[in-house]
PDB file of all heavy atoms in Angstrom:
ATOM      1  N   VAL D  29       4.396  -4.101   2.523  1.00 97.00           N
ATOM      2  CA  VAL D  29       3.380  -4.638   3.416  1.00 97.00           C
ATOM      3  C   VAL D  29       2.873  -5.973   2.898  1.00 97.00           C
ATOM      4  O   VAL D  29       2.716  -6.170   1.688  1.00 97.00           O
ATOM      5  CB  VAL D  29       2.209  -3.643   3.590  1.00 97.00           C
ATOM      6  CG1 VAL D  29       1.548  -3.334   2.264  1.00 97.00           C
ATOM      7  CG2 VAL D  29       1.188  -4.161   4.584  1.00 97.00           C
ATOM      8  N   GLN D  30       2.638  -6.890   3.811  1.00 96.00           N
ATOM      9  CA  GLN D  30       1.968  -8.146   3.513  1.00 96.00           C
ATOM     10  C   GLN D  30       0.701  -8.200   4.347  1.00 96.00           C
ATOM     11  O   GLN D  30       0.741  -8.037   5.573  1.00 96.00           O
ATOM     12  CB  GLN D  30       2.865  -9.344   3.839  1.00 96.00           C
ATOM     13  CG  GLN D  30       2.199 -10.691   3.586  1.00 96.00           C
ATOM     14  CD  GLN D  30       3.078 -11.863   3.983  1.00 96.00           C
ATOM     15  OE1 GLN D  30       4.245 -11.697   4.324  1.00 96.00           O
ATOM     16  NE2 GLN D  30       2.519 -13.057   3.942  1.00 96.00           N
ATOM     17  N   LEU D  31      -0.437  -8.410   3.699  1.00 96.00           N
ATOM     18  CA  LEU D  31      -1.709  -8.482   4.399  1.00 96.00           C
ATOM     19  C   LEU D  31      -1.992  -9.912   4.847  1.00 96.00           C
ATOM     20  O   LEU D  31      -1.338 -10.862   4.415  1.00 96.00           O
ATOM     21  CB  LEU D  31      -2.834  -7.959   3.501  1.00 96.00           C
ATOM     22  CG  LEU D  31      -2.684  -6.505   3.009  1.00 96.00           C
ATOM     23  CD1 LEU D  31      -3.878  -6.110   2.158  1.00 96.00           C
ATOM     24  CD2 LEU D  31      -2.519  -5.544   4.179  1.00 96.00           C
ATOM     25  N   LYS D  32      -2.985 -10.063   5.704  1.00 95.00           N
ATOM     26  CA  LYS D  32      -3.340 -11.374   6.240  1.00 95.00           C
ATOM     27  C   LYS D  32      -3.804 -12.331   5.146  1.00 95.00           C
ATOM     28  O   LYS D  32      -3.668 -13.559   5.285  1.00 95.00           O
ATOM     29  CB  LYS D  32      -4.445 -11.229   7.293  1.00 95.00           C
ATOM     30  CG  LYS D  32      -3.977 -10.649   8.620  1.00 95.00           C
ATOM     31  CD  LYS D  32      -3.133 -11.642   9.391  1.00 95.00           C
ATOM     32  CE  LYS D  32      -2.835 -11.149  10.797  1.00 95.00           C
ATOM     33  NZ  LYS D  32      -2.025 -12.111  11.571  1.00 95.00           N
ATOM     34  N   ASP D  33      -4.351 -11.786   4.043  1.00 95.00           N
ATOM     35  CA  ASP D  33      -4.811 -12.650   2.951  1.00 95.00           C
ATOM     36  C   ASP D  33      -3.679 -13.076   2.016  1.00 95.00           C
ATOM     37  O   ASP D  33      -3.913 -13.742   1.011  1.00 95.00           O
ATOM     38  CB  ASP D  33      -5.920 -11.963   2.155  1.00 95.00           C
ATOM     39  CG  ASP D  33      -5.458 -10.677   1.471  1.00 95.00           C
ATOM     40  OD1 ASP D  33      -4.250 -10.377   1.467  1.00 95.00           O
ATOM     41  OD2 ASP D  33      -6.328  -9.947   0.934  1.00 95.00           O
ATOM     42  N   GLY D  34      -2.430 -12.673   2.351  1.00 95.00           N
ATOM     43  CA  GLY D  34      -1.276 -13.067   1.553  1.00 95.00           C
ATOM     44  C   GLY D  34      -0.865 -12.073   0.489  1.00 95.00           C
ATOM     45  O   GLY D  34       0.223 -12.191  -0.084  1.00 95.00           O
ATOM     46  N   SER D  35      -1.716 -11.092   0.193  1.00 96.00           N
ATOM     47  CA  SER D  35      -1.378 -10.105  -0.831  1.00 96.00           C
ATOM     48  C   SER D  35      -0.282  -9.173  -0.327  1.00 96.00           C
ATOM     49  O   SER D  35      -0.124  -8.966   0.882  1.00 96.00           O
ATOM     50  CB  SER D  35      -2.614  -9.296  -1.226  1.00 96.00           C
ATOM     51  OG  SER D  35      -3.135  -8.589  -0.106  1.00 96.00           O
ATOM     52  N   ILE D  36       0.496  -8.623  -1.258  1.00 96.00           N
ATOM     53  CA  ILE D  36       1.594  -7.726  -0.920  1.00 96.00           C
ATOM     54  C   ILE D  36       1.442  -6.421  -1.682  1.00 96.00           C
ATOM     55  O   ILE D  36       0.810  -6.364  -2.736  1.00 96.00           O
ATOM     56  CB  ILE D  36       2.970  -8.370  -1.233  1.00 96.00           C
ATOM     57  CG1 ILE D  36       3.060  -8.769  -2.721  1.00 96.00           C
ATOM     58  CG2 ILE D  36       3.229  -9.563  -0.336  1.00 96.00           C
ATOM     59  CD1 ILE D  36       4.436  -9.280  -3.140  1.00 96.00           C
ATOM     60  N   ASP D  37       2.009  -5.370  -1.137  1.00 96.00           N
ATOM     61  CA  ASP D  37       1.986  -4.068  -1.799  1.00 96.00           C
ATOM     62  C   ASP D  37       3.174  -3.263  -1.303  1.00 96.00           C
ATOM     63  O   ASP D  37       3.853  -3.642  -0.336  1.00 96.00           O
ATOM     64  CB  ASP D  37       0.686  -3.331  -1.530  1.00 96.00           C
ATOM     65  CG  ASP D  37       0.294  -2.388  -2.662  1.00 96.00           C
ATOM     66  OD1 ASP D  37       1.202  -1.936  -3.404  1.00 96.00           O
ATOM     67  OD2 ASP D  37      -0.903  -2.096  -2.796  1.00 96.00           O
ATOM     68  N   LEU D  38       3.412  -2.143  -1.957  1.00 95.00           N
ATOM     69  CA  LEU D  38       4.571  -1.304  -1.669  1.00 95.00           C
ATOM     70  C   LEU D  38       4.182   0.144  -1.856  1.00 95.00           C
ATOM     71  O   LEU D  38       3.439   0.482  -2.780  1.00 95.00           O
ATOM     72  CB  LEU D  38       5.719  -1.701  -2.599  1.00 95.00           C
ATOM     73  CG  LEU D  38       6.998  -0.864  -2.641  1.00 95.00           C
ATOM     74  CD1 LEU D  38       8.193  -1.770  -2.967  1.00 95.00           C
ATOM     75  CD2 LEU D  38       6.909   0.222  -3.711  1.00 95.00           C
ATOM     76  N   VAL D  39       4.684   1.021  -0.954  1.00 95.00           N
ATOM     77  CA  VAL D  39       4.523   2.461  -1.147  1.00 95.00           C
ATOM     78  C   VAL D  39       5.899   3.108  -1.097  1.00 95.00           C
ATOM     79  O   VAL D  39       6.729   2.777  -0.247  1.00 95.00           O
ATOM     80  CB  VAL D  39       3.592   3.098  -0.090  1.00 95.00           C
ATOM     81  CG1 VAL D  39       2.194   2.537  -0.191  1.00 95.00           C
ATOM     82  CG2 VAL D  39       4.125   2.912   1.314  1.00 95.00           C
ATOM     83  N   GLN D  40       6.146   4.009  -2.040  1.00 93.00           N
ATOM     84  CA  GLN D  40       7.381   4.786  -2.090  1.00 93.00           C
ATOM     85  C   GLN D  40       7.207   5.851  -3.162  1.00 93.00           C
ATOM     86  O   GLN D  40       6.412   5.679  -4.094  1.00 93.00           O
ATOM     87  CB  GLN D  40       8.596   3.906  -2.395  1.00 93.00           C
ATOM     88  CG  GLN D  40       8.558   3.230  -3.745  1.00 93.00           C
ATOM     89  CD  GLN D  40       9.825   2.433  -4.055  1.00 93.00           C
ATOM     90  OE1 GLN D  40      10.535   1.977  -3.177  1.00 93.00           O
ATOM     91  NE2 GLN D  40      10.116   2.282  -5.341  1.00 93.00           N
ATOM     92  N   PRO D  41       7.949   6.981  -3.067  1.00 90.00           N
ATOM     93  CA  PRO D  41       7.831   8.011  -4.094  1.00 90.00           C
ATOM     94  C   PRO D  41       8.272   7.527  -5.476  1.00 90.00           C
ATOM     95  O   PRO D  41       7.694   7.926  -6.484  1.00 90.00           O
ATOM     96  CB  PRO D  41       8.748   9.133  -3.577  1.00 90.00           C
ATOM     97  CG  PRO D  41       8.810   8.913  -2.101  1.00 90.00           C
ATOM     98  CD  PRO D  41       8.762   7.427  -1.926  1.00 90.00           C
ATOM     99  N   LEU D  42       9.299   6.679  -5.529  1.00 85.00           N
ATOM    100  CA  LEU D  42       9.787   6.158  -6.799  1.00 85.00           C
ATOM    101  C   LEU D  42       8.692   5.321  -7.447  1.00 85.00           C
ATOM    102  O   LEU D  42       8.195   4.364  -6.851  1.00 85.00           O
ATOM    103  CB  LEU D  42      11.038   5.314  -6.570  1.00 85.00           C
ATOM    104  CG  LEU D  42      11.890   4.980  -7.802  1.00 85.00           C
ATOM    105  CD1 LEU D  42      12.450   6.232  -8.446  1.00 85.00           C
ATOM    106  CD2 LEU D  42      13.027   4.036  -7.406  1.00 85.00           C
ATOM    107  N   GLY D  43       8.297   5.706  -8.636  1.00 85.00           N
ATOM    108  CA  GLY D  43       7.184   5.048  -9.298  1.00 85.00           C
ATOM    109  C   GLY D  43       5.833   5.621  -8.922  1.00 85.00           C
ATOM    110  O   GLY D  43       4.788   5.109  -9.327  1.00 85.00           O
ATOM    111  N   ASN D  44       5.851   6.702  -8.106  1.00 87.00           N
ATOM    112  CA  ASN D  44       4.618   7.378  -7.677  1.00 87.00           C
ATOM    113  C   ASN D  44       3.634   6.419  -7.014  1.00 87.00           C
ATOM    114  O   ASN D  44       2.428   6.471  -7.248  1.00 87.00           O
ATOM    115  CB  ASN D  44       3.954   8.081  -8.877  1.00 87.00           C
ATOM    116  CG  ASN D  44       4.785   9.234  -9.390  1.00 87.00           C
ATOM    117  OD1 ASN D  44       5.263  10.056  -8.616  1.00 87.00           O
ATOM    118  ND2 ASN D  44       4.983   9.288 -10.704  1.00 87.00           N
ATOM    119  N   ARG D  45       4.162   5.556  -6.156  1.00 91.00           N
ATOM    120  CA  ARG D  45       3.323   4.607  -5.431  1.00 91.00           C
ATOM    121  C   ARG D  45       3.082   5.161  -4.016  1.00 91.00           C
ATOM    122  O   ARG D  45       3.836   4.853  -3.081  1.00 91.00           O
ATOM    123  CB  ARG D  45       3.980   3.234  -5.381  1.00 91.00           C
ATOM    124  CG  ARG D  45       4.242   2.625  -6.763  1.00 91.00           C
ATOM    125  CD  ARG D  45       4.883   1.251  -6.624  1.00 91.00           C
ATOM    126  NE  ARG D  45       4.003   0.320  -5.930  1.00 91.00           N
ATOM    127  CZ  ARG D  45       3.175  -0.516  -6.531  1.00 91.00           C
ATOM    128  NH1 ARG D  45       3.085  -0.520  -7.855  1.00 91.00           N
ATOM    129  NH2 ARG D  45       2.426  -1.345  -5.824  1.00 91.00           N
ATOM    130  N   PHE D  46       2.054   5.988  -3.875  1.00 94.00           N
ATOM    131  CA  PHE D  46       1.813   6.675  -2.604  1.00 94.00           C
ATOM    132  C   PHE D  46       0.811   5.955  -1.708  1.00 94.00           C
ATOM    133  O   PHE D  46       0.630   6.340  -0.558  1.00 94.00           O
ATOM    134  CB  PHE D  46       1.372   8.115  -2.857  1.00 94.00           C
ATOM    135  CG  PHE D  46       2.501   8.987  -3.352  1.00 94.00           C
ATOM    136  CD1 PHE D  46       2.724   9.159  -4.705  1.00 94.00           C
ATOM    137  CD2 PHE D  46       3.353   9.611  -2.459  1.00 94.00           C
ATOM    138  CE1 PHE D  46       3.768   9.937  -5.164  1.00 94.00           C
ATOM    139  CE2 PHE D  46       4.404  10.403  -2.903  1.00 94.00           C
ATOM    140  CZ  PHE D  46       4.618  10.562  -4.267  1.00 94.00           C
ATOM    141  N   GLY D  47       0.158   4.896  -2.206  1.00 94.00           N
ATOM    142  CA  GLY D  47      -0.698   4.076  -1.383  1.00 94.00           C
ATOM    143  C   GLY D  47      -2.073   4.652  -1.138  1.00 94.00           C
ATOM    144  O   GLY D  47      -2.485   5.647  -1.741  1.00 94.00           O
ATOM    145  N   ASN D  48      -2.817   4.016  -0.209  1.00 95.00           N
ATOM    146  CA  ASN D  48      -4.164   4.445   0.134  1.00 95.00           C
ATOM    147  C   ASN D  48      -4.403   4.155   1.611  1.00 95.00           C
ATOM    148  O   ASN D  48      -4.089   3.060   2.094  1.00 95.00           O
ATOM    149  CB  ASN D  48      -5.201   3.719  -0.723  1.00 95.00           C
ATOM    150  CG  ASN D  48      -6.585   4.328  -0.597  1.00 95.00           C
ATOM    151  OD1 ASN D  48      -7.236   4.242   0.443  1.00 95.00           O
ATOM    152  ND2 ASN D  48      -7.043   4.955  -1.675  1.00 95.00           N
ATOM    153  N   PHE D  49      -4.938   5.125   2.331  1.00 96.00           N
ATOM    154  CA  PHE D  49      -5.118   4.985   3.777  1.00 96.00           C
ATOM    155  C   PHE D  49      -6.373   4.182   4.126  1.00 96.00           C
ATOM    156  O   PHE D  49      -6.369   3.393   5.069  1.00 96.00           O
ATOM    157  CB  PHE D  49      -5.207   6.372   4.417  1.00 96.00           C
ATOM    158  CG  PHE D  49      -5.241   6.359   5.926  1.00 96.00           C
ATOM    159  CD1 PHE D  49      -4.077   6.190   6.658  1.00 96.00           C
ATOM    160  CD2 PHE D  49      -6.443   6.509   6.610  1.00 96.00           C
ATOM    161  CE1 PHE D  49      -4.104   6.175   8.061  1.00 96.00           C
ATOM    162  CE2 PHE D  49      -6.486   6.498   8.002  1.00 96.00           C
ATOM    163  CZ  PHE D  49      -5.308   6.324   8.722  1.00 96.00           C
ATOM    164  N   ASP D  50      -7.448   4.355   3.363  1.00 95.00           N
ATOM    165  CA  ASP D  50      -8.748   3.776   3.717  1.00 95.00           C
ATOM    166  C   ASP D  50      -8.980   2.385   3.150  1.00 95.00           C
ATOM    167  O   ASP D  50      -9.850   1.659   3.622  1.00 95.00           O
ATOM    168  CB  ASP D  50      -9.872   4.709   3.272  1.00 95.00           C
ATOM    169  CG  ASP D  50      -9.827   6.043   3.998  1.00 95.00           C
ATOM    170  OD1 ASP D  50      -9.696   6.028   5.243  1.00 95.00           O
ATOM    171  OD2 ASP D  50      -9.899   7.085   3.336  1.00 95.00           O
ATOM    172  N   ARG D  51      -8.232   2.006   2.138  1.00 95.00           N
ATOM    173  CA  ARG D  51      -8.321   0.654   1.609  1.00 95.00           C
ATOM    174  C   ARG D  51      -6.910   0.126   1.378  1.00 95.00           C
ATOM    175  O   ARG D  51      -5.938   0.850   1.523  1.00 95.00           O
ATOM    176  CB  ARG D  51      -9.146   0.620   0.320  1.00 95.00           C
ATOM    177  CG  ARG D  51      -8.611   1.468  -0.820  1.00 95.00           C
ATOM    178  CD  ARG D  51      -9.494   1.295  -2.068  1.00 95.00           C
ATOM    179  NE  ARG D  51      -8.945   1.997  -3.220  1.00 95.00           N
ATOM    180  CZ  ARG D  51      -9.231   3.233  -3.552  1.00 95.00           C
ATOM    181  NH1 ARG D  51     -10.067   3.937  -2.795  1.00 95.00           N
ATOM    182  NH2 ARG D  51      -8.686   3.805  -4.610  1.00 95.00           N
ATOM    183  N   ALA D  52      -6.811  -1.172   1.051  1.00 95.00           N
ATOM    184  CA  ALA D  52      -5.495  -1.789   0.888  1.00 95.00           C
ATOM    185  C   ALA D  52      -4.601  -0.917  -0.005  1.00 95.00           C
ATOM    186  O   ALA D  52      -5.069  -0.404  -1.023  1.00 95.00           O
ATOM    187  CB  ALA D  52      -5.649  -3.181   0.292  1.00 95.00           C
ATOM    188  N   PRO D  53      -3.343  -0.681   0.450  1.00 96.00           N
ATOM    189  CA  PRO D  53      -2.594  -1.371   1.513  1.00 96.00           C
ATOM    190  C   PRO D  53      -2.748  -0.765   2.908  1.00 96.00           C
ATOM    191  O   PRO D  53      -1.971  -1.064   3.800  1.00 96.00           O
ATOM    192  CB  PRO D  53      -1.155  -1.236   1.046  1.00 96.00           C
ATOM    193  CG  PRO D  53      -1.113   0.099   0.365  1.00 96.00           C
ATOM    194  CD  PRO D  53      -2.456   0.224  -0.333  1.00 96.00           C
ATOM    195  N   TYR D  54      -3.715   0.149   3.129  1.00 96.00           N
ATOM    196  CA  TYR D  54      -3.994   0.765   4.431  1.00 96.00           C
ATOM    197  C   TYR D  54      -2.829   1.607   4.935  1.00 96.00           C
ATOM    198  O   TYR D  54      -2.604   1.721   6.135  1.00 96.00           O
ATOM    199  CB  TYR D  54      -4.375  -0.299   5.464  1.00 96.00           C
ATOM    200  CG  TYR D  54      -5.515  -1.164   4.996  1.00 96.00           C
ATOM    201  CD1 TYR D  54      -5.329  -2.520   4.751  1.00 96.00           C
ATOM    202  CD2 TYR D  54      -6.776  -0.618   4.777  1.00 96.00           C
ATOM    203  CE1 TYR D  54      -6.375  -3.318   4.298  1.00 96.00           C
ATOM    204  CE2 TYR D  54      -7.830  -1.408   4.321  1.00 96.00           C
ATOM    205  CZ  TYR D  54      -7.617  -2.754   4.081  1.00 96.00           C
ATOM    206  OH  TYR D  54      -8.656  -3.538   3.629  1.00 96.00           O
ATOM    207  N   MET D  55      -2.093   2.206   4.039  1.00 96.00           N
ATOM    208  CA  MET D  55      -1.045   3.157   4.409  1.00 96.00           C
ATOM    209  C   MET D  55      -0.819   4.100   3.234  1.00 96.00           C
ATOM    210  O   MET D  55      -0.992   3.721   2.075  1.00 96.00           O
ATOM    211  CB  MET D  55       0.251   2.444   4.806  1.00 96.00           C
ATOM    212  CG  MET D  55       0.828   1.515   3.782  1.00 96.00           C
ATOM    213  SD  MET D  55       2.294   0.674   4.456  1.00 96.00           S
ATOM    214  CE  MET D  55       2.758  -0.336   3.040  1.00 96.00           C
ATOM    215  N   LYS D  56      -0.433   5.335   3.568  1.00 95.00           N
ATOM    216  CA  LYS D  56      -0.290   6.349   2.535  1.00 95.00           C
ATOM    217  C   LYS D  56       0.867   7.280   2.868  1.00 95.00           C
ATOM    218  O   LYS D  56       1.012   7.722   4.010  1.00 95.00           O
ATOM    219  CB  LYS D  56      -1.582   7.156   2.392  1.00 95.00           C
ATOM    220  CG  LYS D  56      -1.559   8.178   1.252  1.00 95.00           C
ATOM    221  CD  LYS D  56      -2.901   8.848   1.099  1.00 95.00           C
ATOM    222  CE  LYS D  56      -2.867   9.910  -0.009  1.00 95.00           C
ATOM    223  NZ  LYS D  56      -2.553   9.330  -1.329  1.00 95.00           N
TER     224      LYS D  56
END
C-alpha cells in the first residue's frame, strides 16, 4: 500500500506483518 502522504507499507504472513485496520496501513 502507498498512502497519500507518500508512506508505504506491506502486509503478508511472511515476517508476521498482519497490519492494522484502524490506523496505517488501514488494512489487516
